[in-house]
Amino acid sequence: MKKAFKFILNTIPRPILIRLSYVVRPILAFLLKGNRFTDPIDGKSFKMFLPYGYGKQRNNVLSPSTLSLERHRLLWLYLNEQTDFFTAPKKVLHFAPEQAFYKRFRNQKNLDYTTTDLFSPLADVKADICNLPFEDNLYDVILCNHVLEHIPNDTKAMQELYRVLKPGGMGIFQIPQDLLRATTFSDDSITDEKERAKIFGQYDHVRVYGRDYFDKLRSIGFTVVEEDYTAKISPELVEKYCLAKGEIIPVCFK
């Protein structure tokens, strides 16, 4: 199964994968029913989660029902348990909307919800994150998760995120991060896709963020809370929800 998933991820374009997943997802959820792991997004339990990864694959990380990964389930728990995201009126901008969230956020009556991306079929507005077609100080919440590692000029992207966020607003900008690195690493001279996947975690990533990521966000103007939310969840639930222990949620305020 691991080899099959790796082949699919590396050969089928992502927009097609998104469309195919609507057919495959209910079949996988039925076949993998069990009680070992639970997806907190929909409450469904399974005997196993699926493997996932463009470079090195991780076992038991992809939920068969919502197609959520560790970061999605962690963000869901944080938004649900630590914020008023699901209850208070919010004007929300969501970059590269994930399937695990898209319909759920769209159906939230308290949210004025807009999605954006250059390529995603789920995007309401096709837009370049470095040149957004939105007014200043417009959104209460911005979700931009696992996007910045794809953007060559991430400084400009961060400046645009800051510009369109309302004063007092909240942004969550998750990225794949190596917390053992003090500084972010990039090397454009590495062009082989397999080598890039090995070094950067995915062939189309342009950098590996280190711990300095938070300070870069602060240099743009954000107040940043480095939220280690897995430390506030029992070890039993971290395992049951298949979370990545120690993953930091960058919660940014303007």
Side-chain angles (χ1 to χ4, degrees):
M1 183 175 287
K2 286 180 63 176
K3 289 183 178 180
F5 265 81
K6 189 170 185 179
F7 175 79
I8 291 169
L9 289 171
N10 286 308
T11 55
I12 301 177
R14 190 164 298 184
I16 296 175
L17 278 175
I18 290 173
R19 292 185 173 93
L20 287 174
S21 68
Y22 286 104
V23 177
V24 175
R25 183 170 53 185
I27 298 171
L28 289 173
F30 175 78
L31 292 175
L32 296 176
K33 279 184 179 180
N35 56 21
R36 182 181 177 190
F37 300 118
T38 298
D39 185 336
I41 297 175
D42 64 2
K44 293 182 179 179
S45 297
F46 304 94
K47 60 186 177 184
M48 64 175 286
F49 279 3
L50 297 165
Y52 186 86
Y54 282 81
K56 182 180 179 181
Q57 285 205 324
R58 311 184 303 281
N59 291 323
N60 287 315
V61 294
L62 182 67
S63 165
S65 56
T66 68
L67 300 184
S68 65
L69 294 167
E70 307 102 314
R71 63 180 184 267
H72 305 130
R73 295 186 289 274
L74 182 64
L75 177 58
W76 177 273
L77 290 166
Y78 177 78
L79 290 174
N80 190 49
E81 297 172 2
Q82 299 294 312
T83 77
D84 59 358
F85 182 83
F86 291 103
T87 55
K90 303 283 185 186
K91 191 172 182 65
V92 177
L93 181 63
H94 191 174
F95 285 83
E98 302 93 337
Q99 281 196 71
F101 299 141
Y102 176 71
K103 286 187 177 180
R104 290 172 173 84
F105 292 174
R106 178 72 75 198
N107 292 333
Q108 283 292 129
K109 293 184 178 179
N110 66 303
L111 301 182
D112 178 358
Y113 180 67
T114 300
T115 60
T116 185
D117 191 70
L118 270 179
F119 306 110
S120 172
L122 303 180
D124 300 317
V125 180
K126 302 292 188 199
D128 180 353
I129 192 173
C130 294
N131 186 25
L132 295 173
F134 307 117
E135 298 175 8
D136 296 356
N137 307 315
L138 188 59
Y139 292 99
D140 299 294
V141 176
I142 298 177
L143 302 175
C144 181
N145 299 322
H146 282 235
V147 172
L148 292 172
E149 69 275 10
H150 297 270
I151 309 301
N153 190 351
D154 64 340
T155 299
K156 179 59 176 173
M158 292 175 185
Q159 290 170 340
E160 282 290 87
L161 294 173
Y162 186 84
R163 180 181 66 81
V164 302
L165 185 65
K166 285 183 181 178
M170 178 184 73
I172 295 182
F173 312 138
Q174 290 172 299
I175 40 85
Q177 185 175 27
D178 183 354
L179 291 171
L180 297 178
R181 289 181 180 271
T183 58
T184 296
F185 171 75
S186 63
D187 186 346
D188 294 338
S189 70
I190 303 170
T191 57
D192 180 75
E193 289 191 354
K194 289 184 179 179
E195 188 68 12
R196 291 195 67 83
K198 179 180 177 181
I199 294 172
F200 297 104
Q202 196 165 305
Y203 67 91
D204 55 352
H205 290 182
V206 299
R207 65 184 62 83
V208 179
Y209 283 107
R211 296 191 305 275
D212 59 343
Y213 173 67
F214 309 113
D215 285 335
K216 181 161 187 176
L217 290 167
R218 292 183 180 108
S219 75
I220 301 299
F222 292 106
T223 298
V224 181
V225 176
E226 301 173 29
E227 180 64 64
D228 181 5
Y229 198 56
T230 61
K232 300 177 181 179
I233 302 171
S234 72
E236 293 77 17
L237 286 181
V238 169
E239 181 176 355
K240 190 170 186 64
Y241 294 154
C242 293
L243 305 177
K245 185 172 177 57
E247 179 178 354
I248 304 298
I249 305 174
V251 186
C252 303
F253 299 95
K254 180 176 176 179

